[in-house]
Amino acid sequence: MLAFLVVACGPDLPVGWEDAEPVASLVQHECDGTPYEPYDVTLDADLSGSPVSAAVHNAHFRCAQDVEGFWQWSGDALQILVQPSDMNPRIVAGCDCLYDLDITVEADGTPTSLEVWERQDALNDPNEPERVATQPSP
């Protein structure tokens, strides 16, 4: 008789983000820029209540790399982490891209600000999250 152990694995989240929730929706647009020239990550968000919607422009990830998002509260600030769906890829593209992302978060409450964090895959060292954009409430 064969027995199998099924282990439920959650997302690969960094320290401090272990209890973060998946975003309700994340749309990753086609690569539309290069990080090899100067660029800024920008953020346009509606923080007036739930759901919170955010448009992130110029998120930097590898070419052809799918990303996922997670959110958590830090006091009254809503934090969103965007990272590759596969944090331990075996094969990666030899280039990087800038992506626009449309993100929706179903969170109870109205944030005083929104922070967007990026984290690269485990082939980079270090791959700790970096805050790339912030928007205060109006």
Side-chain angles (χ1 to χ4, degrees), residues 41-44 47 77-78 112-117 131-137:
V41 178
T42 60
L43 173 62
D44 297 309
L47 305 180
L78 183 65
T112 58
S113 64
L114 176 65
E115 299 175 357
V116 175
W117 296 70
R131 185 173 53 195
V132 295
T134 302
Q135 179 175 319
S137 289

Side-chain angles (χ1 to χ4, degrees), residues 9 29 127:
C9 294
H29 298 273
N127 68 346

Side-chain angles (χ1 to χ4, degrees), residues 38-53:
Y39 72 95
D40 291 316
V41 178
T42 60
L43 173 62
D44 297 309
D46 178 2
L47 305 180
S48 61
S50 190
V52 171
S53 57

Side-chain angles (χ1 to χ4, degrees), residues 15-81:
V15 172
W17 290 85
E18 298 90 343
D19 296 326
E21 297 288 330
V23 299
S25 172
L26 187 149
V27 175
Q28 180 179 1
H29 298 273
E30 294 291 322
C31 175
D32 189 30
T34 176
Y36 308 120
E37 299 171 5
Y39 72 95
D40 291 316
V41 178
T42 60
L43 173 62
D44 297 309
D46 178 2
L47 305 180
S48 61
S50 190
V52 171
S53 57
V56 180
H57 306 283
N58 296 328
H60 177 190
F61 292 98
R62 295 183 192 275
C63 296
Q65 187 170 50
D66 292 332
V67 298
E68 61 186 353
F70 299 90
W71 68 274
Q72 67 182 7
W73 288 105
S74 177
D76 291 335
L78 183 65
Q79 297 178 320
I80 297 174
L81 171 66

Side-chain angles (χ1 to χ4, degrees), residues 12 62 65 84 86-89 119-127:
D12 182 352
R62 295 183 192 275
Q65 187 170 50
D86 181 358
M87 287 299 296
N88 297 292
R119 180 179 180 217
Q120 303 303 314
D121 61 47
L123 293 179
N124 294 321
D125 187 30
N127 68 346

